[in-house]
Amino acid sequence: MQEVIHARGHENVSAEHTSTFEVTTDDYLTPAGDCILAIDADRSPADFDPEFVEACQTQGSRITFTIEADGYSDSVTGLGHPSLEFTNDRSMVGRTSDYVDDRTIMLAAPFAAEGFDRDLVAALAEGAEVTVTLEVDA
């Protein structure tokens, strides 16, 4: 089961954060947003199909976040959890920790923004069109 989000990069994408990565519906990005990979997303967690959300809330589920831009692609797989809410209408955040809030889309990711392919990050910083695919294996 999957959800597809379309967004775009921005000149301030640096992908340097060590514990989170984020995609936001906001249409701007300041240099302080070092976890943000893409902006102007056409969907947020609050828009996701209830069946997808339920699958992500299954203990032991695995969630894969794949981001593609300008011919580059990278993926990270983390864990779902019954506490995941998927209610935020603005942004989605993957975490290396077990912290949960309404933006959290996965826990225990093996890397955060700083771990994404640097050629992909360069394309994001050039403002490339982005496709994000979230896939859950419950």
Side-chain angles (χ1 to χ4, degrees):
M1 192 173 315
Q2 68 181 22
E3 293 284 346
V4 177
I5 300 99
H6 296 95
R8 64 182 171 86
H10 186 277
E11 65 185 21
N12 287 329
V13 169
S14 63
E16 295 174 346
H17 205 274
T18 59
S19 63
T20 63
F21 60 89
E22 179 176 345
V23 174
T24 182
T25 61
D26 291 346
D27 62 0
Y28 63 92
L29 175 59
T30 69
D34 64 352
C35 68
I36 296 176
L37 301 174
I39 66 166
D40 210 14
D42 64 353
R43 304 178 68 226
S44 69
D47 300 317
F48 294 170
D49 185 293
E51 289 183 28
F52 178 84
V53 172
E54 186 176 328
C56 291
Q57 292 169 331
T58 302
Q59 189 71 42
S61 60
R62 296 174 51 83
I63 302 166
T64 300
F65 172 98
T66 302
I67 184 168
E68 302 170 86
D70 202 26
Y72 299 100
S73 178
D74 203 355
S75 298
V76 62
T77 300
L79 301 177
H81 191 275
S83 297
L84 295 178
E85 297 176 26
F86 289 87
T87 56
N88 194 281
D89 62 2
R90 190 170 152 210
S91 65
M92 58 198 83
V93 177
R95 302 182 186 280
T96 60
S97 69
D98 61 359
Y99 176 80
V100 175
D101 67 12
D102 66 337
R103 303 178 311 149
T104 306
I105 58 167
M106 76 169 59
L107 305 173
F111 61 86
E114 46 74 33
F116 282 89
D117 178 84
R118 294 290 103 180
D119 290 331
L120 170 64
V121 171
L124 297 172
E126 290 291 322
E129 294 299 311
V130 173
T131 301
V132 171
T133 304
L134 284 172
E135 189 164 2
V136 61
D137 181 13

